[in-house]
Amino acid sequence: MQCCYEAGPCGFDLQRALTARQIPCEIIAPALIPRRAGDRIKTDRRDAGQLAVLYRAGALTAIHIPTEQEEAARDLLRCREDIRADLLRARHRLSKFLLRHGLRPGEKIKAWSAKHLAWAKTLRLELPTLEATLLDYLTEVEHACERIARLERAIDQAVESAPATIRAVIDGLQALRGIARVSAATIVAELGQLSRFSRPKQLMGYVGAVPREHSSGEHVRRGAITKTGNAHLRRILVEAAWSYRHRPKVGSQLRRRQRRASEQVKEIAWKAQQRLHYRYVRLMGRSKLKQQVVTAVARELAGFVWAIGVEVEKHLASRPVRAA
């Protein structure tokens, strides 16, 4: 007997429970289930029957099932991402409140720096109701900052206690420009083993950064990216892609991150800087929108992430196993 079910909010507990009882079970990607255009009736019974027929025919696409440790690391990193969004909203509320009441910092004070928060704490308003509002907005910003700092310490501890293979891939990915420790840990937590992708184009499609297409015959029509893949991973790559608008350079911080990387990894990272910067300049010269250019750079950056991950995993696999 074999079984499957659609991926959803219930996670992987059912799959692990069935696998522990020697019952093969796969989790199916809902977006890749074939749908009939003329089918206008949807019930749980019909969906289950359709899944059974398609699963027996081999027409379904199963998703990668992470281990419990990988899932825990992914939840921790996604929690930090959620709190970052909360911090951004709290900062916007505070800045708009100050703007409405004509309160602006000095020209030399950078927004949301330590001096900026210290200046906001020194403000005194005439009405007690406004004082209470300002205090609450400031408290929310500080609380979000404390939560992010606490989670980043937990992420550092999780990386240090991770297996040697995962730590090596995280160190290798940090050789790329725009990818520091948290970003590298997020990529590894979301992808797992990178060598499970046979080609870099498969990783680009998994990220959802490839353009959608509606072509027929000699008529070729491509549109915006599909966005059908992993949104968390796509956000990390797009944020890192903005770094490649600058000329290729190995600064002090990047050199510090490359200390643990091998020469092969450093060579791939330098090739990425040259190619992606040239790609950015070339597309900008064609009067493309900056957001479209960065998305195209992020798509190719996924290929270099795949190359480094495969190189590190292959190097670790070729090491001789030490006898205990």
Side-chain angles (χ1 to χ4, degrees):
M1 181 177 65
Q2 296 180 349
C3 60
C4 69
Y5 64 93
E6 291 186 39
C10 296
F12 308 98
D13 287 343
L14 178 58
Q15 190 275 340
R16 289 169 181 153
L18 292 172
T19 303
R21 290 166 174 77
Q22 306 300 321
I23 300 176
C25 178
E26 289 184 316
I27 302 179
I28 306 303
L32 300 180
I33 297 177
R35 307 285 184 184
R36 291 178 294 183
D39 194 356
R40 296 290 187 272
I41 301 176
K42 181 188 183 305
T43 62
D44 292 342
R45 184 180 183 87
R46 289 171 67 94
D47 287 346
Q50 184 183 18
L51 276 179
V53 172
L54 294 174
Y55 188 54
R56 182 176 59 185
L60 298 178
T61 303
I63 67 172
H64 170 68
I65 300 173
T67 63
E68 294 185 4
Q69 291 76 15
E70 292 174 347
E71 186 182 9
R74 188 175 65 181
D75 289 340
L76 176 63
L77 289 159
R78 288 185 179 182
C79 179
R80 178 188 176 275
E81 183 178 339
D82 294 336
I83 298 175
R84 276 192 60 193
D86 295 340
L87 174 61
L88 181 62
R89 285 192 290 267
R91 284 176 171 177
H92 282 172
R93 295 188 187 105
L94 177 58
S95 63
K96 301 306 180 289
F97 172 78
L98 297 177
L99 183 63
R100 287 196 304 271
H101 294 279
L103 301 173
R104 296 175 178 83
E107 295 181 356
K108 296 183 179 180
I109 298 179
K110 188 177 180 181
W112 306 119
S113 60
K115 291 184 178 180
H116 186 270
L117 288 178
W119 165 80
K121 291 179 182 179
T122 60
L123 296 175
R124 294 295 178 268
L125 301 177
E126 297 180 0
L127 299 178
T129 52
L130 294 179
E131 282 282 348
T133 304
L134 175 62
L135 177 61
D136 192 77
Y137 282 149
L138 281 172
T139 303
E140 187 63 26
V141 171
E142 291 180 338
H143 180 55
C145 291
E146 292 173 359
R147 293 175 66 190
I148 291 178
R150 182 171 63 250
L151 284 174
E152 288 180 349
R153 290 193 296 269
I155 291 171
D156 291 338
Q157 295 175 0
V159 171
E160 294 298 331
S161 61
T165 305
I166 295 178
R167 291 201 309 271
V169 176
I170 292 175
D171 292 337
L173 292 179
Q174 291 183 69
L176 289 167
R177 192 174 193 174
I179 298 181
R181 191 168 196 177
V182 175
S183 298
T186 303
I187 292 173
V188 175
E190 296 290 342
L191 291 178
Q193 190 176 15
L194 274 82
S195 57
R196 66 188 178 92
F197 299 95
S198 59
R199 299 179 302 163
K201 286 187 177 181
Q202 290 184 349
L203 178 56
M204 297 176 189
Y206 178 82
V207 174
V210 295
R212 63 188 67 184
E213 185 173 352
H214 188 78
S215 303
S216 179
E218 297 181 356
H219 180 72
V220 178
R221 182 179 179 183
R222 294 187 177 91
I225 59 174
T226 59
K227 292 186 179 180
T228 57
N230 192 310
H232 303 276
L233 187 58
R234 185 169 60 251
R235 181 190 62 81
I236 290 291
L237 292 176
V238 170
E239 286 183 357
W242 284 98
S243 302
Y244 294 92
R245 68 187 187 274
H246 305 294
R247 293 182 178 181
K249 177 184 177 182
V250 179
S252 58
Q253 293 184 358
L254 182 58
R255 188 178 297 108
R256 194 180 306 115
R257 298 204 307 264
Q258 290 182 351
R259 289 176 181 175
R260 299 183 182 180
S262 63
E263 294 300 325
Q264 292 81 0
V265 170
K266 291 180 182 178
E267 183 179 351
I268 295 173
W270 180 246
K271 182 180 178 181
Q273 285 206 49
Q274 294 178 317
R275 177 180 175 85
L276 297 181
H277 175 69
Y278 171 75
R279 178 76 166 165
Y280 179 87
V281 173
R282 183 181 177 185
L283 291 177
M284 288 297 295
R286 294 166 58 183
S287 300
K288 295 286 186 180
L289 291 176
K290 188 175 292 186
Q291 291 81 358
Q292 294 179 348
V293 173
V294 172
T295 302
V297 172
R299 178 169 57 249
E300 294 198 19
L301 178 59
F304 287 101
V305 168
W306 176 87
I308 289 180
V310 171
E311 173 65 28
V312 173
E313 292 173 0
K314 181 176 65 176
H315 176 70
L316 293 175
S318 62
R319 284 183 178 180
V321 180
R322 296 183 179 180

mmCIF file with all atom_site columns, all heavy atoms in Angstrom, residues 282-294:
data_model
loop_
_atom_site.group_PDB
_atom_site.id
_atom_site.type_symbol
_atom_site.label_atom_id
_atom_site.label_alt_id
_atom_site.label_comp_id
_atom_site.label_asym_id
_atom_site.label_entity_id
_atom_site.label_seq_id
_atom_site.pdbx_PDB_ins_code
_atom_site.Cartn_x
_atom_site.Cartn_y
_atom_site.Cartn_z
_atom_site.occupancy
_atom_site.B_iso_or_equiv
_atom_site.pdbx_formal_charge
_atom_site.auth_seq_id
_atom_site.auth_comp_id
_atom_site.auth_asym_id
_atom_site.auth_atom_id
_atom_site.pdbx_PDB_model_num
ATOM 1   N N   . ARG A 1 282 ? 24.458 45.614 -18.099 1.00 0.00 ? 282 ARG A N   1
ATOM 2   C CA  . ARG A 1 282 ? 23.945 45.407 -19.454 1.00 0.00 ? 282 ARG A CA  1
ATOM 3   C C   . ARG A 1 282 ? 22.429 45.607 -19.513 1.00 0.00 ? 282 ARG A C   1
ATOM 4   O O   . ARG A 1 282 ? 21.916 46.259 -20.423 1.00 0.00 ? 282 ARG A O   1
ATOM 5   C CB  . ARG A 1 282 ? 24.314 44.007 -19.929 1.00 0.00 ? 282 ARG A CB  1
ATOM 6   C CG  . ARG A 1 282 ? 23.897 43.708 -21.363 1.00 0.00 ? 282 ARG A CG  1
ATOM 7   C CD  . ARG A 1 282 ? 24.268 42.301 -21.746 1.00 0.00 ? 282 ARG A CD  1
ATOM 8   N NE  . ARG A 1 282 ? 23.811 41.986 -23.097 1.00 0.00 ? 282 ARG A NE  1
ATOM 9   C CZ  . ARG A 1 282 ? 23.930 40.784 -23.653 1.00 0.00 ? 282 ARG A CZ  1
ATOM 10  N NH1 . ARG A 1 282 ? 24.488 39.790 -22.970 1.00 0.00 ? 282 ARG A NH1 1
ATOM 11  N NH2 . ARG A 1 282 ? 23.485 40.578 -24.873 1.00 0.00 ? 282 ARG A NH2 1
ATOM 12  N N   . LEU A 1 283 ? 21.705 45.047 -18.550 1.00 0.00 ? 283 LEU A N   1
ATOM 13  C CA  . LEU A 1 283 ? 20.251 45.190 -18.556 1.00 0.00 ? 283 LEU A CA  1
ATOM 14  C C   . LEU A 1 283 ? 19.828 46.624 -18.247 1.00 0.00 ? 283 LEU A C   1
ATOM 15  O O   . LEU A 1 283 ? 18.845 47.115 -18.814 1.00 0.00 ? 283 LEU A O   1
ATOM 16  C CB  . LEU A 1 283 ? 19.628 44.217 -17.552 1.00 0.00 ? 283 LEU A CB  1
ATOM 17  C CG  . LEU A 1 283 ? 19.733 42.732 -17.913 1.00 0.00 ? 283 LEU A CG  1
ATOM 18  C CD1 . LEU A 1 283 ? 19.150 41.872 -16.801 1.00 0.00 ? 283 LEU A CD1 1
ATOM 19  C CD2 . LEU A 1 283 ? 19.030 42.440 -19.236 1.00 0.00 ? 283 LEU A CD2 1
ATOM 20  N N   . MET A 1 284 ? 20.545 47.293 -17.356 1.00 0.00 ? 284 MET A N   1
ATOM 21  C CA  . MET A 1 284 ? 20.224 48.689 -17.080 1.00 0.00 ? 284 MET A CA  1
ATOM 22  C C   . MET A 1 284 ? 20.474 49.560 -18.308 1.00 0.00 ? 284 MET A C   1
ATOM 23  O O   . MET A 1 284 ? 19.771 50.544 -18.543 1.00 0.00 ? 284 MET A O   1
ATOM 24  C CB  . MET A 1 284 ? 21.055 49.199 -15.902 1.00 0.00 ? 284 MET A CB  1
ATOM 25  C CG  . MET A 1 284 ? 20.624 48.635 -14.553 1.00 0.00 ? 284 MET A CG  1
ATOM 26  S SD  . MET A 1 284 ? 18.946 49.112 -14.081 1.00 0.00 ? 284 MET A SD  1
ATOM 27  C CE  . MET A 1 284 ? 19.129 50.882 -13.910 1.00 0.00 ? 284 MET A CE  1
ATOM 28  N N   . GLY A 1 285 ? 21.485 49.185 -19.107 1.00 0.00 ? 285 GLY A N   1
ATOM 29  C CA  . GLY A 1 285 ? 21.742 49.920 -20.334 1.00 0.00 ? 285 GLY A CA  1
ATOM 30  C C   . GLY A 1 285 ? 20.661 49.748 -21.377 1.00 0.00 ? 285 GLY A C   1
ATOM 31  O O   . GLY A 1 285 ? 20.564 50.567 -22.313 1.00 0.00 ? 285 GLY A O   1
ATOM 32  N N   . ARG A 1 286 ? 19.835 48.728 -21.227 1.00 0.00 ? 286 ARG A N   1
ATOM 33  C CA  . ARG A 1 286 ? 18.711 48.513 -22.146 1.00 0.00 ? 286 ARG A CA  1
ATOM 34  C C   . ARG A 1 286 ? 17.424 49.149 -21.621 1.00 0.00 ? 286 ARG A C   1
ATOM 35  O O   . ARG A 1 286 ? 16.332 48.840 -22.099 1.00 0.00 ? 286 ARG A O   1
ATOM 36  C CB  . ARG A 1 286 ? 18.500 47.020 -22.362 1.00 0.00 ? 286 ARG A CB  1
ATOM 37  C CG  . ARG A 1 286 ? 19.661 46.354 -23.104 1.00 0.00 ? 286 ARG A CG  1
ATOM 38  C CD  . ARG A 1 286 ? 19.620 44.849 -23.012 1.00 0.00 ? 286 ARG A CD  1
ATOM 39  N NE  . ARG A 1 286 ? 18.370 44.298 -23.528 1.00 0.00 ? 286 ARG A NE  1
ATOM 40  C CZ  . ARG A 1 286 ? 18.058 42.998 -23.505 1.00 0.00 ? 286 ARG A CZ  1
ATOM 41  N NH1 . ARG A 1 286 ? 18.922 42.128 -22.968 1.00 0.00 ? 286 ARG A NH1 1
ATOM 42  N NH2 . ARG A 1 286 ? 16.922 42.577 -23.993 1.00 0.00 ? 286 ARG A NH2 1
ATOM 43  N N   . SER A 1 287 ? 17.559 50.025 -20.626 1.00 0.00 ? 287 SER A N   1
ATOM 44  C CA  . SER A 1 287 ? 16.439 50.788 -20.052 1.00 0.00 ? 287 SER A CA  1
ATOM 45  C C   . SER A 1 287 ? 15.391 49.884 -19.416 1.00 0.00 ? 287 SER A C   1
ATOM 46  O O   . SER A 1 287 ? 14.189 50.170 -19.470 1.00 0.00 ? 287 SER A O   1
ATOM 47  C CB  . SER A 1 287 ? 15.790 51.676 -21.135 1.00 0.00 ? 287 SER A CB  1
ATOM 48  O OG  . SER A 1 287 ? 16.728 52.584 -21.652 1.00 0.00 ? 287 SER A OG  1
ATOM 49  N N   . LYS A 1 288 ? 15.831 48.790 -18.792 1.00 0.00 ? 288 LYS A N   1
ATOM 50  C CA  . LYS A 1 288 ? 14.919 47.928 -18.056 1.00 0.00 ? 288 LYS A CA  1
ATOM 51  C C   . LYS A 1 288 ? 14.638 48.533 -16.682 1.00 0.00 ? 288 LYS A C   1
ATOM 52  O O   . LYS A 1 288 ? 15.434 49.312 -16.153 1.00 0.00 ? 288 LYS A O   1
ATOM 53  C CB  . LYS A 1 288 ? 15.533 46.537 -17.879 1.00 0.00 ? 288 LYS A CB  1
ATOM 54  C CG  . LYS A 1 288 ? 15.749 45.771 -19.171 1.00 0.00 ? 288 LYS A CG  1
ATOM 55  C CD  . LYS A 1 288 ? 14.448 45.252 -19.731 1.00 0.00 ? 288 LYS A CD  1
ATOM 56  C CE  . LYS A 1 288 ? 14.685 44.363 -20.939 1.00 0.00 ? 288 LYS A CE  1
ATOM 57  N NZ  . LYS A 1 288 ? 13.429 43.835 -21.506 1.00 0.00 ? 288 LYS A NZ  1
ATOM 58  N N   . LEU A 1 289 ? 13.502 48.182 -16.108 1.00 0.00 ? 289 LEU A N   1
ATOM 59  C CA  . LEU A 1 289 ? 13.213 48.609 -14.756 1.00 0.00 ? 289 LEU A CA  1
ATOM 60  C C   . LEU A 1 289 ? 14.208 47.988 -13.789 1.00 0.00 ? 289 LEU A C   1
ATOM 61  O O   . LEU A 1 289 ? 14.603 46.827 -13.937 1.00 0.00 ? 289 LEU A O   1
ATOM 62  C CB  . LEU A 1 289 ? 11.790 48.210 -14.366 1.00 0.00 ? 289 LEU A CB  1
ATOM 63  C CG  . LEU A 1 289 ? 10.644 48.945 -15.073 1.00 0.00 ? 289 LEU A CG  1
ATOM 64  C CD1 . LEU A 1 289 ? 9.306  48.348 -14.644 1.00 0.00 ? 289 LEU A CD1 1
ATOM 65  C CD2 . LEU A 1 289 ? 10.684 50.434 -14.788 1.00 0.00 ? 289 LEU A CD2 1
ATOM 66  N N   . LYS A 1 290 ? 14.591 48.771 -12.785 1.00 0.00 ? 290 LYS A N   1
ATOM 67  C CA  . LYS A 1 290 ? 15.605 48.292 -11.847 1.00 0.00 ? 290 LYS A CA  1
ATOM 68  C C   . LYS A 1 290 ? 15.140 47.043 -11.117 1.00 0.00 ? 290 LYS A C   1
ATOM 69  O O   . LYS A 1 290 ? 15.927 46.123 -10.862 1.00 0.00 ? 290 LYS A O   1
ATOM 70  C CB  . LYS A 1 290 ? 15.949 49.401 -10.843 1.00 0.00 ? 290 LYS A CB  1
ATOM 71  C CG  . LYS A 1 290 ? 17.118 49.072 -9.942  1.00 0.00 ? 290 LYS A CG  1
ATOM 72  C CD  . LYS A 1 290 ? 17.495 50.245 -9.059  1.00 0.00 ? 290 LYS A CD  1
ATOM 73  C CE  . LYS A 1 290 ? 18.059 51.380 -9.881  1.00 0.00 ? 290 LYS A CE  1
ATOM 74  N NZ  . LYS A 1 290 ? 18.564 52.474 -9.014  1.00 0.00 ? 290 LYS A NZ  1
ATOM 75  N N   . GLN A 1 291 ? 13.844 46.963 -10.774 1.00 0.00 ? 291 GLN A N   1
ATOM 76  C CA  . GLN A 1 291 ? 13.336 45.786 -10.083 1.00 0.00 ? 291 GLN A CA  1
ATOM 77  C C   . GLN A 1 291 ? 13.424 44.537 -10.975 1.00 0.00 ? 291 GLN A C   1
ATOM 78  O O   . GLN A 1 291 ? 13.749 43.446 -10.503 1.00 0.00 ? 291 GLN A O   1
ATOM 79  C CB  . GLN A 1 291 ? 11.885 46.012 -9.643  1.00 0.00 ? 291 GLN A CB  1
ATOM 80  C CG  . GLN A 1 291 ? 11.728 47.029 -8.540  1.00 0.00 ? 291 GLN A CG  1
ATOM 81  C CD  . GLN A 1 291 ? 11.763 48.460 -9.046  1.00 0.00 ? 291 GLN A CD  1
ATOM 82  O OE1 . GLN A 1 291 ? 11.937 48.697 -10.241 1.00 0.00 ? 291 GLN A OE1 1
ATOM 83  N NE2 . GLN A 1 291 ? 11.594 49.417 -8.142  1.00 0.00 ? 291 GLN A NE2 1
ATOM 84  N N   . GLN A 1 292 ? 13.151 44.700 -12.263 1.00 0.00 ? 292 GLN A N   1
ATOM 85  C CA  . GLN A 1 292 ? 13.267 43.577 -13.187 1.00 0.00 ? 292 GLN A CA  1
ATOM 86  C C   . GLN A 1 292 ? 14.712 43.139 -13.348 1.00 0.00 ? 292 GLN A C   1
ATOM 87  O O   . GLN A 1 292 ? 15.006 41.938 -13.428 1.00 0.00 ? 292 GLN A O   1
ATOM 88  C CB  . GLN A 1 292 ? 12.684 43.966 -14.549 1.00 0.00 ? 292 GLN A CB  1
ATOM 89  C CG  . GLN A 1 292 ? 11.184 44.206 -14.535 1.00 0.00 ? 292 GLN A CG  1
ATOM 90  C CD  . GLN A 1 292 ? 10.660 44.620 -15.904 1.00 0.00 ? 292 GLN A CD  1
ATOM 91  O OE1 . GLN A 1 292 ? 11.436 44.945 -16.805 1.00 0.00 ? 292 GLN A OE1 1
ATOM 92  N NE2 . GLN A 1 292 ? 9.347  44.612 -16.059 1.00 0.00 ? 292 GLN A NE2 1
ATOM 93  N N   . VAL A 1 293 ? 15.623 44.095 -13.370 1.00 0.00 ? 293 VAL A N   1
ATOM 94  C CA  . VAL A 1 293 ? 17.039 43.772 -13.508 1.00 0.00 ? 293 VAL A CA  1
ATOM 95  C C   . VAL A 1 293 ? 17.533 42.995 -12.289 1.00 0.00 ? 293 VAL A C   1
ATOM 96  O O   . VAL A 1 293 ? 18.235 41.978 -12.412 1.00 0.00 ? 293 VAL A O   1
ATOM 97  C CB  . VAL A 1 293 ? 17.859 45.068 -13.694 1.00 0.00 ? 293 VAL A CB  1
ATOM 98  C CG1 . VAL A 1 293 ? 19.353 44.762 -13.678 1.00 0.00 ? 293 VAL A CG1 1
ATOM 99  C CG2 . VAL A 1 293 ? 17.478 45.749 -15.000 1.00 0.00 ? 293 VAL A CG2 1
ATOM 100 N N   . VAL A 1 294 ? 17.159 43.445 -11.103 1.00 0.00 ? 294 VAL A N   1
ATOM 101 C CA  . VAL A 1 294 ? 17.592 42.760 -9.876  1.00 0.00 ? 294 VAL A CA  1
ATOM 102 C C   . VAL A 1 294 ? 17.002 41.355 -9.811  1.00 0.00 ? 294 VAL A C   1
ATOM 103 O O   . VAL A 1 294 ? 17.666 40.408 -9.365  1.00 0.00 ? 294 VAL A O   1
ATOM 104 C CB  . VAL A 1 294 ? 17.206 43.600 -8.646  1.00 0.00 ? 294 VAL A CB  1
ATOM 105 C CG1 . VAL A 1 294 ? 17.469 42.831 -7.370  1.00 0.00 ? 294 VAL A CG1 1
ATOM 106 C CG2 . VAL A 1 294 ? 17.978 44.904 -8.637  1.00 0.00 ? 294 VAL A CG2 1
#
